Amino acid sequence: MSNPQSTQTNPETGRQTKQESHFNRARSSIRRIVSGYTPRMRASLRKEMDVLTGSLQKLDQGVICIAAFGLVSRGKSAVVNALIGQKILQTGPLHGVTKWPRSVRWTPDPNGKIQIELIDTPGLDEIEGEARAQMARDVARQADLILFVVAGDITRTEYQALCELRQAQKPIILVFNKIDLYPDQDRQAIYRNLQKLGAGSSTSRRLQELLSPSEIVMVAAEPAPIELRVEWPDGSVTHEWESPPPQIDELKEKIVSILNREGRSLLALNALVQARDAEENIARKTLELRDKEAEDLIWKFTKYKALAVGLNPIAVLDVLGGTVADLALIRELARLYNLPMTSYQAGKLLQKILFSSGGLLLGELGSSILFGLGKSAAAVASGENPINFTAYGGAAIAQAGIAGYGIYAVGKAAKVYLERGCTWGELGPNTVIQEILNQVERNTILYRLRQELDPQTDKSTFG
């Protein structure tokens, strides 16, 4: 008799298996992208190729990146030091000790299963204007998880910075630091206020959805020294200052819990988003150079297909020939844009275009088949009857017009697709992102990020 427990699935094992599946799919996707570009193309697209190869290297290394943000003197460096258990980064009362982003490695798991790169950033109110915004964007883009450090009730500047960081589409932990400076009643009141973040405008409600109360953690990363009274055997009394140990365990546990539950999936999604953006940038650059050539190519295929379909007297074969022309056009557009595309991907794209057109192109295809059958029947029955010749000619002209319209519509839709970098192809970044988002569990940060990361809206450009 079998053990009934042997048939049960371990949720933790299943979660790990799912994470590894997400991770491996992401790595395969980005490897396919990188391998699809020739050395000549890589040389002309160095910046984008650096992003792609960097994303792949990050996956190969398996290092999760956590970035600490906040205003000046909120204790970001102290939080990083407390997490790693060493005072590596400079801290102090000076305004803005950290002048540029710095990173340190951290292994919170004694078994070394989780490898983390912690990035400490300058105060968001220390760097002015566009330089600050660009620094924040660059670091947030690298991060898989963001720590936003405050030291009391959130200010308007902090709230605005937090909303801007939310646009990076990364999970956020709000760290309430320096709790040792507040009496317990005040500390709890501030914590409750932080939990209410999100009441009000639609933007702030969106922030509330992404920042649940469970991701607001209180810490004292570098508690203020306390004065101790020391009595000596001779009866003398002195006073000494002692620094209490950091209160950081809750934040450590929160980070480790998130990374154990969904860290590999977070890593995979971040790499895929960067790869998707790089591919779209590549397509955008080539579009600027090749737009007129693409239009000329579409019109050339439109004329060729209209003539080929109209003059072909054999029903069905004319439509099949037209489909071959559609596929050839898609491949030629991909080649023009220097974007890798296999015949299989071209076929999948044509299928997507047909079904994304709201039935319009499918209806045109059906009409073309009917005209093709009528044209073939007229050709067989024509003999020397001028009426049948006229019927044949009319059907041929109508079918040629339909074929021309069809390939022109396919070409324009394919052009839009290719401008977006082929991100919806087999193993394309958007495809794999969608697969991962469809599998995330409800009790995860990724589930709340689904609407932010969902690439489905890109499909609306077809048709």
Side-chain angles (χ1 to χ4, degrees), residues 175-318:
V175 182
F176 174 18
N177 189 25
K178 302 186 179 184
I179 59 171
D180 56 301
L181 302 181
Y182 297 92
D184 184 66
Q185 185 174 355
D186 293 346
R187 182 168 66 242
Q188 293 300 325
I190 293 171
Y191 180 68
R192 287 192 295 272
N193 287 339
L194 293 175
Q195 288 181 314
K196 295 176 183 177
L197 280 176
S201 67
S202 59
T203 300
S204 54
R205 282 197 296 272
R206 191 75 200 102
L207 176 61
Q208 187 180 44
E209 291 174 21
L210 296 175
L211 188 65
S212 77
S214 64
E215 274 105 47
I216 302 174
V217 181
M218 294 191 291
V219 305
E222 195 175 41
I226 57 175
E227 187 178 16
L228 299 178
R229 184 175 184 274
V230 181
E231 296 183 2
W232 298 95
D234 63 0
S236 62
V237 176
T238 61
H239 293 83
E240 298 178 359
W241 291 91
E242 181 177 294
S243 297
Q247 300 175 39
I248 202 74
D249 288 345
E250 184 181 353
L251 179 58
K252 281 186 179 179
E253 291 171 4
K254 172 61 63 176
I255 291 172
V256 171
S257 172
I258 290 172
L259 298 187
N260 277 328
R261 186 181 64 214
E262 51 191 313
R264 302 279 273 184
S265 298
L266 279 171
L267 189 58
L269 274 173
N270 189 40
L272 286 166
V273 168
Q274 291 188 58
R276 177 190 64 188
D277 292 345
E279 274 209 296
E280 289 179 352
N281 286 336
I282 290 171
R284 199 172 294 116
K285 284 184 176 181
T286 54
L287 168 65
E288 294 173 359
L289 299 173
R290 305 289 175 84
D291 187 55
K292 186 176 186 307
E293 294 177 66
E295 287 292 328
D296 291 342
L297 188 64
I298 292 172
W299 276 112
K300 183 175 76 171
F301 271 81
T302 297
K303 289 183 287 187
Y304 288 167
K305 180 180 176 181
L307 287 172
V309 170
L311 296 177
N312 191 327
I314 304 176
V316 181
L317 285 183
D318 48 10

Side-chain angles (χ1 to χ4, degrees), residues 141-446:
R141 190 180 301 115
Q142 297 176 48
D144 303 297
L145 178 66
I146 289 173
L147 305 180
F148 192 85
V149 182
V150 298
D153 275 322
I154 195 165
T155 67
R156 180 180 296 275
T157 303
E158 285 173 320
Y159 186 77
Q160 181 180 356
L162 189 56
C163 289
E164 289 174 358
L165 283 173
R166 179 195 65 77
Q167 296 176 13
Q169 301 175 339
K170 305 296 173 64
I172 297 173
I173 296 177
L174 185 62
V175 182
F176 174 18
N177 189 25
K178 302 186 179 184
I179 59 171
D180 56 301
L181 302 181
Y182 297 92
D184 184 66
Q185 185 174 355
D186 293 346
R187 182 168 66 242
Q188 293 300 325
I190 293 171
Y191 180 68
R192 287 192 295 272
N193 287 339
L194 293 175
Q195 288 181 314
K196 295 176 183 177
L197 280 176
S201 67
S202 59
T203 300
S204 54
R205 282 197 296 272
R206 191 75 200 102
L207 176 61
Q208 187 180 44
E209 291 174 21
L210 296 175
L211 188 65
S212 77
S214 64
E215 274 105 47
I216 302 174
V217 181
M218 294 191 291
V219 305
E222 195 175 41
I226 57 175
E227 187 178 16
L228 299 178
R229 184 175 184 274
V230 181
E231 296 183 2
W232 298 95
D234 63 0
S236 62
V237 176
T238 61
H239 293 83
E240 298 178 359
W241 291 91
E242 181 177 294
S243 297
Q247 300 175 39
I248 202 74
D249 288 345
E250 184 181 353
L251 179 58
K252 281 186 179 179
E253 291 171 4
K254 172 61 63 176
I255 291 172
V256 171
S257 172
I258 290 172
L259 298 187
N260 277 328
R261 186 181 64 214
E262 51 191 313
R264 302 279 273 184
S265 298
L266 279 171
L267 189 58
L269 274 173
N270 189 40
L272 286 166
V273 168
Q274 291 188 58
R276 177 190 64 188
D277 292 345
E279 274 209 296
E280 289 179 352
N281 286 336
I282 290 171
R284 199 172 294 116
K285 284 184 176 181
T286 54
L287 168 65
E288 294 173 359
L289 299 173
R290 305 289 175 84
D291 187 55
K292 186 176 186 307
E293 294 177 66
E295 287 292 328
D296 291 342
L297 188 64
I298 292 172
W299 276 112
K300 183 175 76 171
F301 271 81
T302 297
K303 289 183 287 187
Y304 288 167
K305 180 180 176 181
L307 287 172
V309 170
L311 296 177
N312 191 327
I314 304 176
V316 181
L317 285 183
D318 48 10
V319 176
L320 291 177
T323 302
V324 171
D326 292 340
L327 294 172
L329 172 59
I330 292 173
R331 292 292 302 278
E332 286 299 314
L333 283 170
R335 190 174 293 112
L336 175 66
Y337 282 152
N338 285 334
L339 295 171
M341 174 171 280
T342 64
S343 298
Y344 173 80
Q345 290 171 326
K348 294 290 285 184
L349 174 55
L350 179 58
Q351 183 183 38
K352 187 184 298 294
I353 291 170
L354 291 175
F355 285 100
S356 299
S357 65
L360 179 62
L361 290 179
L362 290 174
E364 298 293 344
L365 182 62
S367 299
S368 182
I369 292 173
L370 290 176
F371 277 112
L373 292 172
K375 182 182 65 178
S376 298
V380 171
S382 62
E384 296 183 358
N385 189 335
I387 295 177
N388 290 330
F389 273 120
T390 302
Y392 175 89
I397 292 171
Q399 192 184 28
I402 291 171
Y405 168 81
I407 195 169
Y408 183 78
V410 167
K412 296 293 283 187
K415 181 168 169 284
V416 171
Y417 174 88
L418 294 169
E419 288 165 12
R420 293 182 177 272
C422 297
T423 56
W424 280 105
E426 183 193 21
L427 272 182
N430 272 334
T431 301
V432 182
I433 288 172
Q434 193 65 57
E435 290 176 3
I436 294 174
L437 294 178
N438 288 340
Q439 296 174 6
V440 297
E441 300 175 12
R442 279 185 170 272
N443 63 334
T444 62
I445 283 179
L446 282 179

